[in-house]
PDB file of all heavy atoms in Angstrom:
ATOM      1  N   SER A  85      -1.722  11.244 -11.920  1.00 92.00           N
ATOM      2  CA  SER A  85      -3.161  11.042 -11.753  1.00 92.00           C
ATOM      3  C   SER A  85      -3.503   9.567 -11.941  1.00 92.00           C
ATOM      4  O   SER A  85      -2.670   8.756 -12.337  1.00 92.00           O
ATOM      5  CB  SER A  85      -3.934  11.904 -12.756  1.00 92.00           C
ATOM      6  OG  SER A  85      -3.559  11.566 -14.085  1.00 92.00           O
ATOM      7  N   GLY A  86      -4.768   9.234 -11.662  1.00 91.00           N
ATOM      8  CA  GLY A  86      -5.235   7.866 -11.869  1.00 91.00           C
ATOM      9  C   GLY A  86      -4.650   6.887 -10.869  1.00 91.00           C
ATOM     10  O   GLY A  86      -4.185   7.263  -9.787  1.00 91.00           O
ATOM     11  N   ALA A  87      -4.648   5.623 -11.247  1.00 88.00           N
ATOM     12  CA  ALA A  87      -4.193   4.565 -10.345  1.00 88.00           C
ATOM     13  C   ALA A  87      -2.739   4.743  -9.950  1.00 88.00           C
ATOM     14  O   ALA A  87      -2.344   4.405  -8.823  1.00 88.00           O
ATOM     15  CB  ALA A  87      -4.392   3.201 -11.013  1.00 88.00           C
ATOM     16  N   ARG A  88      -1.941   5.273 -10.858  1.00 93.00           N
ATOM     17  CA  ARG A  88      -0.511   5.443 -10.562  1.00 93.00           C
ATOM     18  C   ARG A  88      -0.289   6.444  -9.422  1.00 93.00           C
ATOM     19  O   ARG A  88       0.718   6.367  -8.719  1.00 93.00           O
ATOM     20  CB  ARG A  88       0.240   5.887 -11.814  1.00 93.00           C
ATOM     21  CG  ARG A  88       1.743   5.837 -11.648  1.00 93.00           C
ATOM     22  CD  ARG A  88       2.497   6.132 -12.939  1.00 93.00           C
ATOM     23  NE  ARG A  88       3.919   6.225 -12.700  1.00 93.00           N
ATOM     24  CZ  ARG A  88       4.766   5.213 -12.702  1.00 93.00           C
ATOM     25  NH1 ARG A  88       4.329   3.995 -12.968  1.00 93.00           N
ATOM     26  NH2 ARG A  88       6.062   5.396 -12.457  1.00 93.00           N
ATOM     27  N   ARG A  89      -1.234   7.367  -9.213  1.00 95.00           N
ATOM     28  CA  ARG A  89      -1.100   8.325  -8.113  1.00 95.00           C
ATOM     29  C   ARG A  89      -1.009   7.603  -6.769  1.00 95.00           C
ATOM     30  O   ARG A  89      -0.172   7.942  -5.923  1.00 95.00           O
ATOM     31  CB  ARG A  89      -2.279   9.292  -8.101  1.00 95.00           C
ATOM     32  CG  ARG A  89      -2.269  10.269  -6.927  1.00 95.00           C
ATOM     33  CD  ARG A  89      -3.446  11.227  -6.994  1.00 95.00           C
ATOM     34  NE  ARG A  89      -3.410  12.175  -5.887  1.00 95.00           N
ATOM     35  CZ  ARG A  89      -2.684  13.279  -5.857  1.00 95.00           C
ATOM     36  NH1 ARG A  89      -1.906  13.586  -6.881  1.00 95.00           N
ATOM     37  NH2 ARG A  89      -2.710  14.089  -4.808  1.00 95.00           N
ATOM     38  N   TRP A  90      -1.871   6.610  -6.589  1.00 96.00           N
ATOM     39  CA  TRP A  90      -1.889   5.906  -5.305  1.00 96.00           C
ATOM     40  C   TRP A  90      -0.635   5.078  -5.117  1.00 96.00           C
ATOM     41  O   TRP A  90      -0.157   4.901  -3.992  1.00 96.00           O
ATOM     42  CB  TRP A  90      -3.160   5.072  -5.199  1.00 96.00           C
ATOM     43  CG  TRP A  90      -4.367   5.924  -5.451  1.00 96.00           C
ATOM     44  CD1 TRP A  90      -5.247   5.841  -6.486  1.00 96.00           C
ATOM     45  CD2 TRP A  90      -4.788   7.053  -4.663  1.00 96.00           C
ATOM     46  NE1 TRP A  90      -6.194   6.832  -6.402  1.00 96.00           N
ATOM     47  CE2 TRP A  90      -5.940   7.590  -5.290  1.00 96.00           C
ATOM     48  CE3 TRP A  90      -4.314   7.660  -3.509  1.00 96.00           C
ATOM     49  CZ2 TRP A  90      -6.617   8.688  -4.791  1.00 96.00           C
ATOM     50  CZ3 TRP A  90      -4.981   8.758  -2.997  1.00 96.00           C
ATOM     51  CH2 TRP A  90      -6.119   9.263  -3.638  1.00 96.00           C
ATOM     52  N   GLU A  91      -0.098   4.573  -6.210  1.00 96.00           N
ATOM     53  CA  GLU A  91       1.177   3.864  -6.121  1.00 96.00           C
ATOM     54  C   GLU A  91       2.287   4.829  -5.719  1.00 96.00           C
ATOM     55  O   GLU A  91       3.117   4.517  -4.863  1.00 96.00           O
ATOM     56  CB  GLU A  91       1.505   3.197  -7.455  1.00 96.00           C
ATOM     57  CG  GLU A  91       0.554   2.068  -7.837  1.00 96.00           C
ATOM     58  CD  GLU A  91       1.013   1.325  -9.080  1.00 96.00           C
ATOM     59  OE1 GLU A  91       2.061   1.700  -9.656  1.00 96.00           O
ATOM     60  OE2 GLU A  91       0.327   0.374  -9.481  1.00 96.00           O
ATOM     61  N   ALA A  92       2.311   6.003  -6.328  1.00 97.00           N
ATOM     62  CA  ALA A  92       3.338   6.996  -6.008  1.00 97.00           C
ATOM     63  C   ALA A  92       3.251   7.418  -4.553  1.00 97.00           C
ATOM     64  O   ALA A  92       4.274   7.550  -3.863  1.00 97.00           O
ATOM     65  CB  ALA A  92       3.207   8.206  -6.931  1.00 97.00           C
ATOM     66  N   LEU A  93       2.032   7.635  -4.071  1.00 97.00           N
ATOM     67  CA  LEU A  93       1.858   8.048  -2.678  1.00 97.00           C
ATOM     68  C   LEU A  93       2.270   6.944  -1.709  1.00 97.00           C
ATOM     69  O   LEU A  93       2.863   7.204  -0.655  1.00 97.00           O
ATOM     70  CB  LEU A  93       0.407   8.455  -2.426  1.00 97.00           C
ATOM     71  CG  LEU A  93      -0.042   9.764  -3.091  1.00 97.00           C
ATOM     72  CD1 LEU A  93      -1.540   9.955  -2.933  1.00 97.00           C
ATOM     73  CD2 LEU A  93       0.708  10.957  -2.494  1.00 97.00           C
ATOM     74  N   THR A  94       1.955   5.695  -2.064  1.00 97.00           N
ATOM     75  CA  THR A  94       2.360   4.577  -1.219  1.00 97.00           C
ATOM     76  C   THR A  94       3.871   4.423  -1.202  1.00 97.00           C
ATOM     77  O   THR A  94       4.484   4.178  -0.147  1.00 97.00           O
ATOM     78  CB  THR A  94       1.699   3.273  -1.698  1.00 97.00           C
ATOM     79  OG1 THR A  94       0.281   3.427  -1.639  1.00 97.00           O
ATOM     80  CG2 THR A  94       2.107   2.099  -0.829  1.00 97.00           C
ATOM     81  N   LEU A  95       4.496   4.589  -2.364  1.00 98.00           N
ATOM     82  CA  LEU A  95       5.955   4.536  -2.419  1.00 98.00           C
ATOM     83  C   LEU A  95       6.575   5.670  -1.601  1.00 98.00           C
ATOM     84  O   LEU A  95       7.571   5.466  -0.899  1.00 98.00           O
ATOM     85  CB  LEU A  95       6.426   4.636  -3.873  1.00 98.00           C
ATOM     86  CG  LEU A  95       6.743   3.337  -4.604  1.00 98.00           C
ATOM     87  CD1 LEU A  95       7.241   3.640  -6.005  1.00 98.00           C
ATOM     88  CD2 LEU A  95       7.764   2.509  -3.846  1.00 98.00           C
ATOM     89  N   GLU A  96       5.993   6.862  -1.712  1.00 98.00           N
ATOM     90  CA  GLU A  96       6.511   7.982  -0.924  1.00 98.00           C
ATOM     91  C   GLU A  96       6.410   7.672   0.574  1.00 98.00           C
ATOM     92  O   GLU A  96       7.346   7.922   1.338  1.00 98.00           O
ATOM     93  CB  GLU A  96       5.761   9.272  -1.247  1.00 98.00           C
ATOM     94  CG  GLU A  96       6.329  10.478  -0.507  1.00 98.00           C
ATOM     95  CD  GLU A  96       5.598  11.782  -0.790  1.00 98.00           C
ATOM     96  OE1 GLU A  96       4.503  11.737  -1.389  1.00 98.00           O
ATOM     97  OE2 GLU A  96       6.128  12.839  -0.397  1.00 98.00           O
ATOM     98  N   ALA A  97       5.276   7.114   0.986  1.00 98.00           N
ATOM     99  CA  ALA A  97       5.100   6.754   2.389  1.00 98.00           C
ATOM    100  C   ALA A  97       6.104   5.677   2.811  1.00 98.00           C
ATOM    101  O   ALA A  97       6.618   5.698   3.941  1.00 98.00           O
ATOM    102  CB  ALA A  97       3.673   6.277   2.637  1.00 98.00           C
ATOM    103  N   THR A  98       6.397   4.746   1.925  1.00 98.00           N
ATOM    104  CA  THR A  98       7.374   3.697   2.230  1.00 98.00           C
ATOM    105  C   THR A  98       8.759   4.291   2.412  1.00 98.00           C
ATOM    106  O   THR A  98       9.477   3.966   3.366  1.00 98.00           O
ATOM    107  CB  THR A  98       7.384   2.634   1.122  1.00 98.00           C
ATOM    108  OG1 THR A  98       6.064   2.088   0.968  1.00 98.00           O
ATOM    109  CG2 THR A  98       8.354   1.506   1.449  1.00 98.00           C
ATOM    110  N   GLY A  99       9.151   5.164   1.481  1.00 98.00           N
ATOM    111  CA  GLY A  99      10.439   5.834   1.613  1.00 98.00           C
ATOM    112  C   GLY A  99      10.519   6.641   2.892  1.00 98.00           C
ATOM    113  O   GLY A  99      11.520   6.597   3.619  1.00 98.00           O
ATOM    114  N   ASP A 100       9.456   7.376   3.193  1.00 98.00           N
ATOM    115  CA  ASP A 100       9.440   8.182   4.417  1.00 98.00           C
ATOM    116  C   ASP A 100       9.520   7.296   5.657  1.00 98.00           C
ATOM    117  O   ASP A 100      10.166   7.649   6.649  1.00 98.00           O
ATOM    118  CB  ASP A 100       8.171   9.034   4.466  1.00 98.00           C
ATOM    119  CG  ASP A 100       8.226  10.227   3.531  1.00 98.00           C
ATOM    120  OD1 ASP A 100       9.176  10.314   2.723  1.00 98.00           O
ATOM    121  OD2 ASP A 100       7.323  11.076   3.591  1.00 98.00           O
ATOM    122  N   GLY A 101       8.858   6.140   5.608  1.00 98.00           N
ATOM    123  CA  GLY A 101       8.917   5.226   6.738  1.00 98.00           C
ATOM    124  C   GLY A 101      10.324   4.692   6.972  1.00 98.00           C
ATOM    125  O   GLY A 101      10.773   4.561   8.118  1.00 98.00           O
ATOM    126  N   ILE A 102      11.025   4.382   5.888  1.00 98.00           N
ATOM    127  CA  ILE A 102      12.419   3.954   6.007  1.00 98.00           C
ATOM    128  C   ILE A 102      13.244   5.073   6.644  1.00 98.00           C
ATOM    129  O   ILE A 102      14.076   4.828   7.539  1.00 98.00           O
ATOM    130  CB  ILE A 102      12.992   3.560   4.634  1.00 98.00           C
ATOM    131  CG1 ILE A 102      12.310   2.281   4.124  1.00 98.00           C
ATOM    132  CG2 ILE A 102      14.511   3.371   4.705  1.00 98.00           C
ATOM    133  CD1 ILE A 102      12.670   1.919   2.699  1.00 98.00           C
ATOM    134  N   MET A 103      13.023   6.298   6.186  1.00 98.00           N
ATOM    135  CA  MET A 103      13.743   7.436   6.767  1.00 98.00           C
ATOM    136  C   MET A 103      13.483   7.543   8.264  1.00 98.00           C
ATOM    137  O   MET A 103      14.407   7.752   9.065  1.00 98.00           O
ATOM    138  CB  MET A 103      13.314   8.739   6.095  1.00 98.00           C
ATOM    139  CG  MET A 103      13.709   8.902   4.654  1.00 98.00           C
ATOM    140  SD  MET A 103      13.138  10.512   4.054  1.00 98.00           S
ATOM    141  CE  MET A 103      12.900  10.158   2.327  1.00 98.00           C
ATOM    142  N   GLU A 104      12.218   7.441   8.652  1.00 97.00           N
ATOM    143  CA  GLU A 104      11.868   7.567  10.076  1.00 97.00           C
ATOM    144  C   GLU A 104      12.590   6.522  10.916  1.00 97.00           C
ATOM    145  O   GLU A 104      13.125   6.827  11.993  1.00 97.00           O
ATOM    146  CB  GLU A 104      10.355   7.449  10.242  1.00 97.00           C
ATOM    147  CG  GLU A 104       9.588   8.644   9.705  1.00 97.00           C
ATOM    148  CD  GLU A 104       8.105   8.372   9.542  1.00 97.00           C
ATOM    149  OE1 GLU A 104       7.667   7.246   9.887  1.00 97.00           O
ATOM    150  OE2 GLU A 104       7.391   9.261   9.063  1.00 97.00           O
ATOM    151  N   CYS A 105      12.623   5.288  10.436  1.00 98.00           N
ATOM    152  CA  CYS A 105      13.305   4.225  11.178  1.00 98.00           C
ATOM    153  C   CYS A 105      14.810   4.471  11.236  1.00 98.00           C
ATOM    154  O   CYS A 105      15.447   4.304  12.288  1.00 98.00           O
ATOM    155  CB  CYS A 105      13.023   2.870  10.538  1.00 98.00           C
ATOM    156  SG  CYS A 105      11.308   2.324  10.670  1.00 98.00           S
ATOM    157  N   ALA A 106      15.382   4.879  10.102  1.00 98.00           N
ATOM    158  CA  ALA A 106      16.832   5.096  10.050  1.00 98.00           C
ATOM    159  C   ALA A 106      17.238   6.296  10.901  1.00 98.00           C
ATOM    160  O   ALA A 106      18.290   6.274  11.553  1.00 98.00           O
ATOM    161  CB  ALA A 106      17.279   5.286   8.605  1.00 98.00           C
TER     162      ALA A 106
END
Side-chain angles (χ1 to χ4, degrees):
S85 59
R88 190 174 173 87
R89 176 178 181 82
W90 307 114
E91 293 187 359
L93 290 172
T94 300
L95 263 182
E96 183 181 12
T98 303
D100 284 8
I102 292 172
M103 292 181 209
E104 290 165 2
C105 293

